[in-house]
Amino acid sequence: MPQLKESVLDALKTEESRRAFLAKFASAVFAGLVAPAVAGEVAPVQAAAAEQSGLTDEFDATQLPEAVEGEHPIKRMMADLRRALQKPMEQRRWGMVIDLRKCTGCNGCNVACITENKLPPGVTYRPVMTETHGTYPNVARRFIPRPCMQCDNPPCTPVCPVNATWKRSDGIVVVDYDKCIGCRYCITACPYAARSFDSGYFYGDFEGGERQPYELLPSPEYGENRVRAEEGSPIGNVRKCHFCIHRIERGELPACTLSCMGRATYFGDLNDSKSLVSELIGQPNVMRLREEMGTEPKVFYLV
């Protein structure tokens, strides 16, 4: 009996060690693939707060600033947007803030983006990365929406051999489908995996072989209203998030911002000190992904 008890205890210890290793391994893979900055910034915040509260994976969240005179965030961002559009393009600097404490991982932003831009299978502009952490039964998930970072120093632009991708004067990095030759150098250069290649698939290819009516609708991207058709752009091109330029320039917020059910996404002019996004990035709990690469991303995260 004593030997049996010792064997059981040894087995339990081995299982605990295995679980601890897998938990650390999973976190390391997620951090290395998606957001090294999260491992360096989020974890210490969580650990310190968890120590104070006595609860695992809980931390005291810094509250968002109060809206001006009780304004709804959407109304405030719309006012910010209208104010920004009154300035010359070169005086604007569009940016996004994503509150990771509010993101529920619903993927509503991703679906809204796909619907708005008529994206085909295999092309996504705003995936929501997921990490499961903790030890059963105390497990939880973290969600990180990852649009294009719209870098101030984009590593994707200098590698393009035909200058098909460049940064506009308002800071948005764009792709000219008529120039893009599909070499995919920019996909390799992007440290955020924020670019997709349009291989020419249609959802109908997997649903009986016939093109579905919604796949023949023109995409409003870049205000060009292109209809995807074989042997024509954007098929064979690299595609990416562009902050819904076509919506911004007609005074509307990006589809992902407007559709966020948790109000976790904020958009506006970073050059406007009165804008909501400028107020948010002044908070002490702000981080950006892979800042050590010097890309100067204009997507900020609240942790």
Side-chain angles (χ1 to χ4, degrees), residues 68-230:
V68 177
E69 298 180 358
E71 267 190 324
H72 192 281
I74 292 295
K75 289 185 64 177
R76 183 172 176 187
M77 286 187 286
M78 287 295 293
D80 294 343
L81 179 59
R82 288 193 296 268
R83 190 166 58 250
L85 289 174
Q86 294 175 0
K87 303 188 297 184
M89 180 185 290
E90 61 273 11
Q91 293 182 18
R92 310 170 199 152
R93 183 168 169 262
W94 301 118
M96 185 171 286
V97 178
I98 301 174
D99 192 339
L100 298 184
R101 305 160 305 173
K102 288 186 172 185
C103 179
T104 64
C106 71
N107 272 282
C109 57
N110 188 20
V111 173
C113 177
I114 292 172
T115 303
E116 174 69 25
N117 295 293
K118 309 298 185 290
L119 301 183
V123 176
T124 180
Y125 293 170
R126 191 185 169 95
V128 179
M129 315 305 292
T130 303
E131 178 196 25
T132 302
H133 60 102
T135 304
Y136 179 83
N138 301 310
V139 295
R141 282 184 171 182
R142 301 185 184 105
F143 306 102
I144 300 185
R146 198 273 302 131
C148 171
M149 297 292 118
Q150 309 296 350
C151 306
D152 272 335
N153 296 316
C156 55
T157 58
V159 300
C160 181
V162 292
N163 298 318
T165 185
W166 76 95
K167 188 179 73 170
R168 302 192 340 164
S169 59
D170 59 2
I172 297 179
V173 180
V174 298
V175 178
D176 187 332
Y177 293 149
D178 293 321
K179 288 184 177 181
C180 178
I181 59 175
C183 67
R184 288 169 265 194
Y185 290 171
C186 58
I187 292 180
T188 303
C190 177
Y192 303 103
R195 288 174 171 247
S196 304
F197 181 74
D198 190 335
S199 298
Y201 290 109
F202 288 80
Y203 287 104
D205 297 338
F206 308 97
E207 300 172 5
E210 296 182 1
R211 302 287 186 263
Q212 301 299 306
Y214 62 83
E215 298 185 277
L216 304 179
L217 296 174
S219 170
E221 283 189 293
Y222 305 114
E224 296 173 350
N225 293 318
R226 292 175 183 260
V227 176
R228 284 182 79 248
E230 295 176 1

